[in-house]
Amino acid sequence: MNRIKMTMMLAGLAVCAGCALEKEQGSAEAFPWVADRFGDVEVLRYQVPGFDSLTLSQKKLVYYLSQAALWGRDIQFDQHGRHNLAIRRTLEGVYAAYPGDREAPAFKALEEYLKKVWFAGGIHHHYSMDKFVPGFTQADFEAMVRATPADSLPGFPGGVDDLLSTLAPVMFDPAVDAKRVSLDHSRDLILSSANNFYEGVTEAEAEAFYRALAAGDGARPVSHGLNTKLVKQNGVVREIVWKSGGMYGPAIDKITGNLQLALAFAETPGQRQVIESLIDYYKTGDLKEFDAYNVHWVEEQQARVDFVNGFIEVYGDPLGLKGTWEAIVNFKDLDKTRRAEQLSAAAQWFEDHSPIDPSHKKKQVKGVSAKVITIAMLGGDCYPSSPVGINLPNADWIRKEHGSKSVTLDNIMYAHNQAALLKSSLGEFIYSEEELQRAKKFGAEARSLFVDMHECLGHGSGQLNPGVSSEALKNYASTLEEARADLFALYFMMDPKLQEMGLAPDPEMARASYDSEIRGGLMTQLVRVDYGQQLEEAHMRNRKLIAEWCLEQGADRRVIEKKQKEGKTYFVINDYERLRELFGRLLREVQRIKSEGDFEAGKQLVERYGVRIDSTLHREVLDRYARLDLAPYAGFVNPRMVPVLQDGAIVDIHLDYSQGYAEQMLEYSRNYSNLPLYN
Ligand code: ZN
């Protein structure tokens, strides 16, 4: 399957000049943008402008869809690791009821660890996938747990001793469950990954199982394995389905219950079908129903309110099969949608003028829809760390026959920019005053246009050769797919067509976007990687691959130049036109690799350019960044939706932005948690 539809927002964090700069005016201080800060994370608040302009019926629809979005939180924790719910509830129990010194360093460290676990949906970092190292000892942990009243702790069959002997090694032994998702191909990818998608099976057994299933595929294959756990019991490999009455059934029933309530407020017959088919899918676990839901979802274009809810993205599985549960609820920003529509309407022009081989082009680019949306609720794997752009569905055949929907999460991006405005991270990694001014003036606009092009045009472009499996690129597929979408956007950023369309009135916009891509790929994204580690995450590998390849291929003409100033390293673009040609050449090659399913070439490209980090440069970047005292990652708390009741009926819904991070997490654990400790 074709993957990676979420542009992780990290691309545009404080480290990315493009995103960090935003407008210079703006009321950054009027709203409490920052909710919390701990570890390498800053938690922000986002506003939901336009909510009050929705009709009461639309507000109720948003409300019930939001309830459905919050009920899947436990699923995500359990998918990320089988002990996560037990660990979270133990930590929450101690946090709430520990009678000892709450100012002691060990308790403070436990609080910070709990905040990290909440943020990541488990004990592994949401981005690096490495297990957190608690800032308190195992002895501290045992003492705090034993001092906490037992009725505040999750019940284990053998009591507290059982709890401690089960959980302590998982939390404290570095050798146990070290990585949530391992992409190190020299080891068994399943056995070396701590996620809860497989149990008792090896990578070879899982591949054989799904190869056998795929052998029966026709032209419209279901997404095998997307909503199941694969286990081996009594020597037999089989799937346990996530559905009502199956694994995660109690949470799924709450989700479908709220979808049922939402149904009464569907805006159009098409939207009614979307919700109904999703309910059917959750009830049966039938992946054909999931495809039906996706087809209805893509085709529904009229309603203002929209949502995503399900087992969707597969980054959490090294084999790229299992969907992690996620949800968002949103409504269309009518004004800002116009630009994305303009791009979508011209999709065929871009496809026809793309530098890829003609045989790899879609003869008809279908329904690449795009809109700018306002997020009203984030859930599951989209919370607290949220994407800034989404392109779904993932199934290739649906994309080909029915198109896809792209959205830009405008209020999330805006919150980022506003929070970044409060600091002033910028200049550190920018070489010249000219480049700095360009970033300040055009960075935000360029970033936003780039994300639209990546999502609306990039992912939807190109086609596979007949007979080529969409799974041919295996663990390199995600990185190459992101590279393809980025390169498509980069190549056309400098095209006169954008000027003609009135979207990029100043050529400096494209330059600002090129500056940001090269700077990010070669330097600034390294702040999010621990010293000594290599790149693992697909979006990061993609950016490194592009920048590194262009640096090498343009070396003879010094298209990109590495410079030193006052002991600091910078990368400077000398020739933007030639850089554009290089983007075009690489796009052609990456498209060829995808179209032909050339695994070896894809592997070479990623391994050679996208993985290894120069340790000297890495040290330097980390040191420079540390001096800025910024958080490399951001996430969000949701607004609280408060129904206004009159005689028991909802007459309005108010948004309350005052909730803090820990407060919200505790509320969600209290009110939206019904799964057993172990599923
Ligand atoms: Zn993408």
Side-chain angles (χ1 to χ4, degrees), residues 3-8 315 389 391 454-455 459 481-483 485-486 539 542:
R3 295 299 135 193
I4 321 313
K5 304 318 163 192
M6 299 184 106
T7 303
M8 303 301 287
Y315 311 110
N391 177 293
H454 172 112
E455 300 291 347
H459 280 305
E481 176 60 17
E482 287 313 307
D486 264 6
H539 298 79
N542 138 51

Side-chain angles (χ1 to χ4, degrees), residues 23 32 50 68 86 110 141 162 236 282 302 325 364 491 586 615 639:
K23 305 118 198 177
L110 179 134
F141 177 63
D162 188 8
V236 181
Y282 274 135
Q302 300 310 312
W325 195 88
Q364 275 191 312
Y491 179 79
L586 186 56
S615 60

Side-chain angles (χ1 to χ4, degrees), residues 496-513:
K497 177 77 175 174
L498 289 188
Q499 241 168 315
E500 246 171 67
M501 293 171 75
L503 298 178
D506 196 310
E508 286 286 275
M509 254 175 88
R511 294 194 191 112
S513 156

Side-chain angles (χ1 to χ4, degrees), residues 351-548:
E351 187 76 357
D352 294 344
H353 291 79
S354 157
I356 64 175
D357 188 279
S359 70
H360 300 152
K361 292 184 184 181
K362 282 204 178 93
K363 302 295 165 270
Q364 275 191 312
V365 182
K366 258 196 177 170
V368 186
S369 80
K371 57 184 182 176
V372 177
I373 58 167
T374 302
I375 285 289
M377 191 60 68
L378 301 166
D381 214 23
C382 294
Y383 167 86
S385 175
S386 155
V388 290
I390 290 178
N391 177 293
L392 289 170
N394 283 333
D396 270 326
W397 74 263
I398 301 180
R399 300 169 70 81
K400 200 168 169 198
E401 291 181 23
H402 302 272
S404 59
K405 255 200 244 185
S406 280
V407 293
T408 303
L409 285 58
D410 198 62
N411 58 327
I412 294 291
M413 280 212 269
Y414 185 74
H416 256 275
N417 297 334
Q418 291 302 315
L421 252 188
L422 292 175
K423 333 231 151 165
S424 157
S425 64
L426 212 38
E428 182 58 35
F429 296 99
I430 293 183
Y431 182 75
S432 68
E433 183 59 26
E434 182 193 343
E435 188 182 331
L436 181 64
Q437 288 313 319
R438 183 156 56 231
K440 283 194 171 167
K441 201 158 173 204
F442 299 101
E445 212 182 329
R447 173 83 208 155
S448 155
L449 178 59
F450 177 84
V451 170
D452 270 0
M453 293 177 63
H454 172 112
E455 300 291 347
C456 306
L457 303 173
H459 280 305
S461 71
Q463 65 176 5
L464 298 180
N465 287 354
V468 171
S469 160
S470 55
E471 281 155 46
L473 302 179
K474 296 186 188 174
N475 51 316
Y476 298 104
S478 295
T479 299
L480 291 165
E481 176 60 17
E482 287 313 307
R484 208 172 64 82
D486 264 6
L487 287 163
F488 197 94
L490 288 165
Y491 179 79
F492 284 110
M493 277 300 284
M494 200 171 268
D495 200 286
K497 177 77 175 174
L498 289 188
Q499 241 168 315
E500 246 171 67
M501 293 171 75
L503 298 178
D506 196 310
E508 286 286 275
M509 254 175 88
R511 294 194 191 112
S513 156
Y514 285 17
D515 292 340
S516 155
E517 179 81 10
I518 297 302
R519 200 163 58 229
L522 293 174
M523 276 208 303
T524 53
Q525 68 169 349
L526 300 182
V527 305
R528 285 182 267 116
V529 182
D530 285 340
Y531 186 70
Q533 303 281 309
Q534 304 299 344
L535 290 183
E536 297 269 358
E537 200 278 333
H539 298 79
M540 294 179 86
R541 284 184 164 190
N542 138 51
R543 284 191 288 270
K544 174 104 156 81
L545 187 169
I546 292 175
E548 205 72 65

